[in-house]
Amino acid sequence: MLGNLNIRVIFEYFPALWQGFLNTLMMSGLGFAGAMILGIIACALTIQPLRWLRAPAVAYVDVIRATPLLAQLYFLYFGLPRLGILLPEILIGIVALALNSGAYVAEIIRSGILAVPRGQFEASMSSGLTYLQRMRFIILPQAIRPTVSPLIGQAIVLVKDSSLLSLISVVELARVGQQIALDRFMPVEGLAATAAGFLIIYYMLKALAALWSRFNRLPGQA
Amino acid sequence: MIRFQGLNKWFGNALHVLKDIDLDVAKGEVVVVCGPSGSGKSTLIRCVNGLEPFQKGSLTVDGVDLGAKGVALRDLRMEVGFVFQQFNLYPHKTALENVTLAPIHVRGLSKTEAVERGEALLAKVGLADRMNNYPSQLSGGQQQRVAIARSLCMQPKIMLFDEPTSALDPEMITEVLDVMVSLAKEGMTMMVVTHEMGFARKVAHRVVFMDQGAIVESGEPASFFGNPTHDRTRDFLSKVLHH
Amino acid sequence: MFWFQVERLLNYWPLLLKGLGMTVSLSLISLLIGGVIGLLFGIIRAGRIRWLSFVVGLYIDLFRGTPFLVQVFICFFILPSVGIELSAFSAGVLALSNLSACFIGEIVASGIKAVPRGQSEAALSSGFRHWQQLRLIILPQALRIVRPSLVGQFILLVKDSSVISAIGIMDLTRSGWMIVQNIPNGLLIFGVVGVGYFIICYPMIFLARRMERRNQSSLL
């Protein structure tokens, strides 16, 4: 099967593949930025005491987590025009990615804050720091540290999920691979090139996570 | 029964944890090993059942040469009981199951036989009413007594204790030591790493003092406690005795 | 207009129910197959045979690093070209089982590594054989530790199964896609589809959370 891999086709389509690769990166980047903003807001709302603000945030996180991205994507793709909102597919895709990952980001950040031992809150309160000082100097530094690796993990998920945008005919890496497969009846070449592109991003993000945890370990931590 | 001859062990290349250890433990003898933390006493006792490999010298246990290639460690371990500082009971098994698991699966005892033996041993360590409790439902002292019964249920020839009371609250130390004392009186061959000098004085045939990976001094309890020859021993004893 | 669409949607009710059934059976079959293979993967990954662990690790990475959609296409388009003809359903089950085996493998390996070292030392000291140690002492504890993650994995499986609709499997998502071609109201149709997934997944999210809380308290 690999013996008669047609490398020429991959070269021929290289500009298209490269464009797809860049599109995947761009959409993932924007999607993740949106997810971080949404996630931080949703998390802030779920841990504050006002019930009427908490309920919608909790509902958002739960609904997103209990339904597949593809259904969410179709919901927006087939649904937004109904509301008179006409957006280009690529924008719908980015919004769907951000909405989806935002819920997971909210959960990750929340568990980071919950993981700070109660004693830290009590100690920082007893030392007379104000609420903002407590958050800034004591709680957040400890809460953020354990969230970095899971957040990079979520970024990996998002990059892979962005391939679903090909199903609403956004041109990205997976779509170009499908084109090679269908135009030239060369599924092996097309899908191998696609897979390779995603693996490059995957290994780069994985290396980033490894680097981070190597250089940000507290002394004495395993 | 246990013979160390010129045994040396390194962790990696730099850390020389055991230096030229020579030590004999006869059948039925009770040897207490003491010394400051980091002196290598736990590593020493862990060598005896092959939990730690060593690089130089020889160690013979019950006729088995542990330095030899392809040594049947499993067969040896069936004859050597080991009690850990942290108990290491199996948390998903009841006290009785903890005790009978190895006799059934390693010795091949029938379940009824193993249960009979296990119940007798748990009763002996004073836990007849706790057999069906899980480790998380037992106090530290009770857990350690289960751990001792677990080792005994294999009917070992040698019992090794690695700081068996160090993880216990003070009020529970006695109940564990009592079990060990009665075991010693029955003639079990024992090597015990501990800071409990009262126990050493009462039942040990010999006390060994280690520091920085080497055996500094060893002798019968009377002379060891009454007339230690080395400054380091005296220094150590004054720290553990005057508290 | 809206109520008219709802009425028409009611005609498609059987299609949606069948789609839901397909989603559930795809997920369950893949969970079963993936669970068995994943357990094996996990044992190998946490095991002492270095080269085998490396090879399995590489295999797992390949599938964790590529989009599931691409994997589904590989099963559906490439395997036939090397002479393995699969129906869309078998291709879907193959892709989904394989994916879940990879994720479950990593979960099980992490569970095995999370069992304290003292447990295997104690087992070793009692003379257990390697596989006895694994079966009687390590695995029962490891599986208890990772139970919430396994439930979480099943939730992912249910959601990932929607991607298989891309090769024409009539699952819940696909039936929504079919209906929306006739009733042009994406909000309504995919709202209903979403409810279907929610009914399956939400109780499990709840369960996973409860297990996690119980695990934490039992570790204290």
Side-chain angles (χ1 to χ4, degrees), chain A residues 109-186:
Chain A
I109 297 177
R110 199 174 75 103
S111 64
I113 292 174
L114 291 184
V116 177
R118 253 196 94 72
Q120 294 293 315
F121 289 86
E122 288 164 358
S124 58
M125 258 190 261
S126 331
S127 54
L129 298 175
T130 67
Y131 177 79
L132 283 180
Q133 285 174 327
R134 275 175 352 230
M135 276 298 176
R136 191 170 144 216
F137 296 119
I138 314 292
I139 307 303
L140 285 183
Q142 294 186 63
I144 289 169
R145 190 180 294 273
T147 63
V148 173
S149 292
L151 284 176
I152 295 176
Q154 185 56 37
I156 290 174
V157 170
L158 185 143
V159 170
K160 291 188 292 173
D161 277 350
S162 73
S163 67
L164 292 183
L165 304 200
S166 66
L167 296 178
I168 58 168
S169 57
V170 171
V171 177
E172 45 66 76
L173 199 44
R175 183 79 179 178
V176 178
Q178 288 164 46
Q179 276 165 2
I180 301 178
L182 296 176
D183 296 356
R184 296 297 196 83
F185 300 108
M186 288 181 176

Side-chain angles (χ1 to χ4, degrees), chain C residues 139-167:
Chain C
L139 275 183
Q141 295 183 57
L143 291 181
R144 185 171 305 192
I145 295 172
V146 301
R147 238 175 11 186
S149 312
L150 287 178
V151 176
Q153 185 52 43
F154 185 57
I155 300 169
L156 283 182
L157 207 65
V158 172
K159 291 189 289 180
D160 280 339
S161 74
S162 67
V163 174
I164 299 174
S165 66
I167 55 170

